[in-house]
């Protein structure tokens, strides 16, 4: 069984081509989602991991996910994703 690919910035599942971000040449990016990466750049360039966690918690709250649950999940997942792991290394 294949493990589904996830965005290496926010952990969104990358199930179909439309979920993927785009490289500078408009080709599909294999590591980042359309919300995090467009035209070869992060859509929230310069954001810190703490800022990204807050942003994700805000989106989760809009979807009626309890803040504590969303924050716990984001804090446990994001540090292990490629975009953030290199920052703490």
């Amino acid at each position: 069984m294949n493990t589904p690919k996830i965005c290496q910035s926010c952990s969104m599942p990358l199930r179909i081509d439309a979920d993927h971000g785009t490289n500078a040449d408009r080709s599909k990016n294999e590591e980042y989602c359309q919300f995090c990466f467009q035209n070869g750049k992060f859509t929230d360039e310069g954001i810190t991991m703490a800022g990204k966690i807050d942003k994700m918690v805000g989106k989760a709250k809009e979807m009626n996910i309890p803040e504590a649950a969303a924050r716990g999940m984001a804090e446990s997942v994001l540090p292990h994703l490629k975009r953030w792991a290199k920052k703490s290394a």
Side-chain angles (χ1 to χ4, degrees):
M1 183 171 138
N2 288 343
T3 303
K5 287 185 177 182
I6 61 170
C7 175
Q8 292 298 303
S9 175
C10 74
S11 78
M12 179 182 126
L14 301 174
R15 294 185 179 110
I16 60 173
D17 283 353
D19 292 338
H20 292 261
T22 55
N23 296 313
D25 65 2
R26 304 257 195 248
S27 63
K28 177 177 73 170
N29 184 281
E30 294 292 337
E31 295 182 313
Y32 301 107
C33 76
Q34 62 170 321
F35 302 108
C36 290
F37 201 77
Q38 295 175 6
N39 302 317
K41 296 181 180 178
F42 287 109
T43 58
D44 54 6
E45 192 68 45
I47 196 170
T48 63
M49 184 169 55
K52 186 70 165 187
I53 289 169
D54 288 342
K55 184 176 179 180
M56 290 176 63
V57 169
K59 292 289 182 190
K61 285 171 56 177
E62 289 174 13
M63 297 185 295
N64 296 317
I65 297 171
E67 181 174 352
R71 187 167 299 281
M73 187 173 114
E75 288 175 348
S76 68
V77 173
L78 259 63
H80 303 286
L81 299 177
K82 182 179 179 178
R83 182 179 183 188
W84 309 109
K86 66 182 179 185
K87 304 273 188 199
S88 60

